[in-house]
């Protein structure tokens, strides 16, 4: 009797295990099929978008009407952006494909910045036309390679899950057509030299990551270590490690890590001049004991102590137990927004736990600020009549073409929302409108220049 019961229990257990195993296998297969379908969709969308991108670039070459050219260039920008997003949906994260993504980004940047300007006043130059011709030719080569891959995928019923497995294992089979095809595309794009793309595309790198224009002499690793110690107030016993991250550049920067009591700090310092680019102290933050206003003075003192001059606090935000502050250069009562520096202050003790001076260092230069051609009332007349203007100031910003423009910066309200509106002080164009999350921008607290 007991034997029969045991046999029955075991039989039920075996059947249950089998059913569970079958169900698990079924669910796993469903997930694999779903992943494969998503990869196939993304790949065919990529190929289709490259076809459209090539055709649209070709269309711009045949256009003469400025009215038609601008929206078509904007469409090329949209397609380039979509194509780059589609690349991100494929299992290529373990394979180098950054040159192709960079190429698509450059197409997008070039066409966008050309589309947003007034082509009646500033028409396409011969140089820009030649750049479009080059992009048309190169996109055709990418299109041809991807079509070859697509044809093989469809003919031989190849699976993208095999690509993912091969890349993840690091043991790529010699005959993986998909991987080989994408490597061919990447190699072709890598062969597109800077000169082929023309200066319009190549000049779009906004930041001087080489930091070659900064003042000061070249520093050594030991000097970088001492700068880091003073900048972070690290004690003598702190362990400091310095790594050269110039990547072969003549200038570049050092990456510094500091380990010590209550300190786990990482920062980058330029080789030229020894200027800290950014830094962060990865320490736990306790309960807030100081106000955001008190923290702003801590941030201001931090900058003064380290020799920063003529900065003005224009924005402060609070996230949990930290304050985030943005300072910009002020010259002749004009805020220079491209020269910005951000600090993060812990509200438990007021210490600076993060800073970013990349924009400040990359954009710093001697400027001659133009005189406004419009009065404040003339500039205000270009604003939506429903906006109630509360205050204004002068500022220098970068427009969509990365050109610095002098603006009247108006603070206004519409219903229950607050906006910052930038009106070009030379021609009255509405350059930029921003909805503020902090409805009370700060108009005082200036860090005076000091040696």
């Amino acid at each position: 009797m007991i034997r029969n019961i045991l046999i029955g229990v075991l039989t039920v257990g075996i059947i249950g295990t089998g059913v569970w195993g079958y169900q698990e296998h079924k669910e796993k297969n469903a997930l694999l099929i779903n992943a494969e379908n998503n990869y196939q969709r993304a790949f065919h969308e990529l190929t289709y978008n490259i076809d459209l991108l090539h055709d649209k670039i070709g269309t711009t070459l045949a256009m003469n009407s400025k009215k038609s050219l601008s929206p078509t260039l904007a469409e090329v920008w949209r397609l380039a952006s979509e194509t780059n997003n589609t690349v991100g949906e494929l299992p290529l994260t373990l394979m180098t494909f950054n040159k192709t993504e960079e190429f698509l980004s450059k197409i997008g940047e070039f066409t966008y910045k050309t589309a947003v300007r007034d082509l009646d006043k500033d028409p396409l130059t011969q140089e820009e036309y030649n750049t479009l011709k080059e992009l048309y030719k190169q996109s055709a080569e990418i299109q041809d390679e991807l079509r070859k891959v697509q044809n093989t995928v469809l003919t031989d019923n190849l699976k993208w899950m095999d690509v993912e497995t091969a890349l993840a294992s690091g043991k790529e089979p010699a005959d993986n057509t998909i991987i080989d095809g994408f490597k061919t595309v990447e190699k072709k794009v890598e062969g597109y030299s800077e000169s082929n793309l023309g200066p319009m595309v190549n000049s779009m790198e906004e930041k001087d990551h080489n930091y070659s224009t900064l003042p000061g002499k070249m520093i050594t690793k030991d000097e970088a270590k001492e700068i880091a110690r003073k900048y972070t107030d690290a004690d003598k016993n702190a362990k400091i490690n310095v790594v050269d991250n110039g990547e072969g550049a003549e200038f570049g920067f050092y990456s510094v890590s500091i380990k010590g009591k209550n300190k786990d700090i990482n920062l980058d310092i330029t080789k030229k001049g020894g200027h800290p680019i950014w830094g962060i102290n990865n320490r736990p933050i306790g309960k807030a004991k100081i106000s955001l206003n008190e923290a702003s003075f801590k941030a201001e003192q931090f900058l003064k102590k380290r020799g920063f001059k003529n900065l003005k606090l224009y924005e402060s935000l609070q996230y949990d137990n930290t304050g985030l502050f943005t300072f910009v250069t002020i010259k002749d009562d004009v805020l220079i927004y491209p020269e910005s520096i951000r600090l993060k202050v812990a509200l438990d003790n007021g210490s600076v736990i993060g800073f970013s001076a990349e924009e400040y260092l990359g954009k710093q230069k001697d400027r001659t600020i133009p005189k406004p051609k419009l009065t404040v009332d003339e500039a205000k007349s270009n604003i939506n009549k429903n906006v109630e203007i509360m205050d204004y100031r002068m500022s220098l910003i970068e427009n969509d073409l990365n050109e610095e423009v002098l603006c009247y910066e108006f603070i206004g309200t519409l219903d229950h929302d607050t906006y910052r509106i930038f009106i070009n002080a030379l021609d009255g164009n509405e350059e930029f409108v921003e909805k503020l999350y902090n409805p009370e921008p700060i108009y005082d607290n200036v860090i005076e220049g000091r040696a």
Side-chain angles (χ1 to χ4, degrees):
M1 182 68 179
I2 294 174
R3 182 169 175 270
N4 290 337
I5 292 172
L6 288 174
I7 291 172
V9 170
L10 286 172
T11 302
V12 170
I14 290 169
I15 293 172
T17 302
V19 171
W20 174 82
Y22 173 75
Q23 190 64 30
E24 284 287 299
H25 177 73
K26 187 177 178 182
E27 289 178 1
K28 183 179 179 181
N29 279 345
L31 289 173
L32 291 174
I33 291 170
N34 184 57
E36 178 65 33
N37 289 341
N38 284 333
Y39 288 150
Q40 291 287 356
R41 174 194 55 76
F43 171 63
H44 293 300
E45 276 187 13
L46 171 64
T47 308
Y48 178 66
N49 283 343
I50 289 292
D51 287 346
L52 288 180
L53 189 66
H54 174 253
D55 291 344
K56 283 293 180 183
I57 294 174
T59 301
T60 64
L61 296 174
M63 283 184 172
N64 188 43
S65 167
K66 310 295 189 300
K67 187 176 181 180
S68 301
L69 186 57
S70 286
T72 306
L73 286 169
E75 179 67 9
V76 173
W77 163 70
R78 184 189 65 79
L79 283 169
S81 179
E82 276 188 13
T83 306
N84 233 342
N85 290 336
T86 306
V87 170
E89 295 180 36
L90 293 171
L92 302 173
T93 53
L94 299 175
M95 187 180 89
T96 302
F97 207 59
N98 59 304
K99 291 293 182 183
T100 303
E101 292 175 289
E102 183 181 329
F103 175 74
L104 291 169
S105 294
K106 284 185 173 182
I107 291 178
E109 288 178 24
F110 171 72
T111 51
Y112 174 75
K113 289 172 183 177
T114 308
V116 296
R117 79 174 192 238
D118 188 339
L119 290 175
D120 285 318
K121 295 180 181 177
D122 188 10
L124 213 63
T125 65
Q126 184 60 47
E127 185 178 52
E128 289 169 330
Y129 183 79
N130 291 339
T131 298
L132 279 173
K133 286 177 68 176
E134 195 63 37
L135 293 174
Y136 181 64
K137 174 188 172 186
Q138 291 165 354
S139 62
E141 293 174 356
I142 295 175
Q143 178 189 46
D144 183 55
E145 292 300 329
L146 283 177
R147 280 183 173 178
K148 288 177 185 176
V149 177
Q150 185 183 43
N151 180 65
T152 308
V153 167
L154 293 172
T155 302
D156 299 342
N157 195 28
L158 299 179
K159 304 296 183 185
W160 273 93
M161 292 304 296
D162 295 337
V163 175
E164 185 175 51
T165 303
L167 290 173
S169 67
K171 299 177 182 178
E172 300 170 18
D175 61 345
N176 194 305
T177 305
I178 296 178
I179 293 177
D180 292 343
F182 273 81
K183 282 184 174 179
T184 301
V185 172
E186 182 74 355
K187 191 172 182 181
K188 276 189 175 292
V189 175
E190 194 171 3
Y192 300 157
S193 67
E194 296 287 322
S195 57
N196 286 339
L197 289 177
M200 262 301 294
V201 175
N202 301 320
S203 64
M204 288 172 186
E205 192 63 41
E206 297 177 24
K207 298 174 185 175
D208 178 17
H209 292 291
N210 203 26
Y211 300 106
S212 58
T213 60
L214 291 174
K217 65 179 183 65
M218 300 295 290
I219 65 168
T220 64
K221 284 187 177 181
D222 287 337
E223 287 173 317
K225 187 180 293 187
E226 288 308 306
I227 290 170
R229 189 187 301 277
K230 292 177 181 177
Y231 211 83
T232 60
D233 296 324
D235 58 54
K236 295 180 181 179
N237 298 322
K239 184 180 179 182
I240 303 179
N241 184 49
V242 182
V243 177
D244 186 341
N245 272 333
E247 299 180 357
E250 182 183 356
F251 298 98
F253 59 93
Y254 294 114
S255 286
V256 185
S257 62
I258 302 174
K259 305 288 185 183
K261 186 178 180 181
N262 297 323
K263 289 187 185 296
D264 179 12
I265 303 172
N266 293 286
L267 67 157
D268 285 347
I269 298 175
T270 64
K271 291 181 181 178
K272 193 168 190 291
H275 304 278
I277 304 167
W278 68 269
I280 187 168
N281 184 0
N282 300 298
R283 72 164 178 86
I285 302 170
K287 186 178 179 181
K289 295 180 181 178
I290 67 171
S291 68
L292 192 65
N293 190 50
E294 290 175 292
S296 73
F297 288 110
K298 297 283 187 182
E300 189 175 325
Q301 290 303 312
F302 177 89
L303 293 172
K304 280 185 177 180
K305 183 178 177 181
R306 286 154 182 81
F308 286 93
K309 302 177 180 180
N310 300 323
L311 293 177
K312 181 170 184 176
L313 174 63
Y314 90 96
E315 187 174 60
S316 59
L317 300 168
Q318 182 172 342
Y319 296 99
D320 296 326
N321 295 327
T322 61
L324 184 64
F325 305 95
T326 304
F327 293 81
V328 298
T329 297
I330 183 167
K331 179 181 179 182
D332 301 332
D333 293 323
V334 177
L335 292 182
I336 315 295
Y337 277 112
E339 288 186 21
S340 64
I341 182 168
R342 295 174 176 83
L343 281 84
K344 189 176 182 180
V345 177
L347 300 181
D348 55 359
N349 64 4
S351 64
V352 173
I353 57 172
F355 69 88
S356 174
E358 186 174 13
E359 293 293 330
Y360 181 84
L361 297 174
K363 301 291 186 179
Q364 199 174 36
K365 63 181 179 182
D366 290 329
R367 292 177 175 84
T368 300
I369 299 175
K371 298 293 183 183
K373 292 184 178 179
L374 304 180
T375 66
V376 62
D377 288 333
E378 288 172 332
K380 192 186 297 185
S381 67
N382 292 286
I383 298 176
N384 186 321
K385 304 302 180 186
N386 295 316
V387 176
E388 183 181 357
I389 302 303
M390 310 300 291
D391 207 342
Y392 80 94
R393 58 190 172 193
M394 301 301 298
S395 60
L396 195 75
I397 67 169
E398 285 188 340
N399 63 14
D400 288 333
L401 300 176
N402 294 328
E403 300 167 338
E404 292 188 353
V405 290
L406 180 67
C407 291
Y408 285 99
E409 177 187 344
F410 294 97
I411 301 297
T413 59
L414 179 61
D415 295 329
H416 300 293
D417 295 319
T418 304
Y419 295 87
R420 182 184 286 133
I421 304 166
F422 295 87
I423 302 296
N424 193 309
L426 303 182
D427 59 23
N429 282 337
E430 187 178 71
E431 297 287 349
F432 184 67
V433 177
E434 177 187 19
K435 181 177 179 293
L436 296 179
Y437 291 98
N438 178 8
E440 297 180 2
I442 298 168
Y443 280 88
D444 48 15
N445 293 348
V446 178
I447 298 179
E448 300 294 345
R450 81 179 201 186

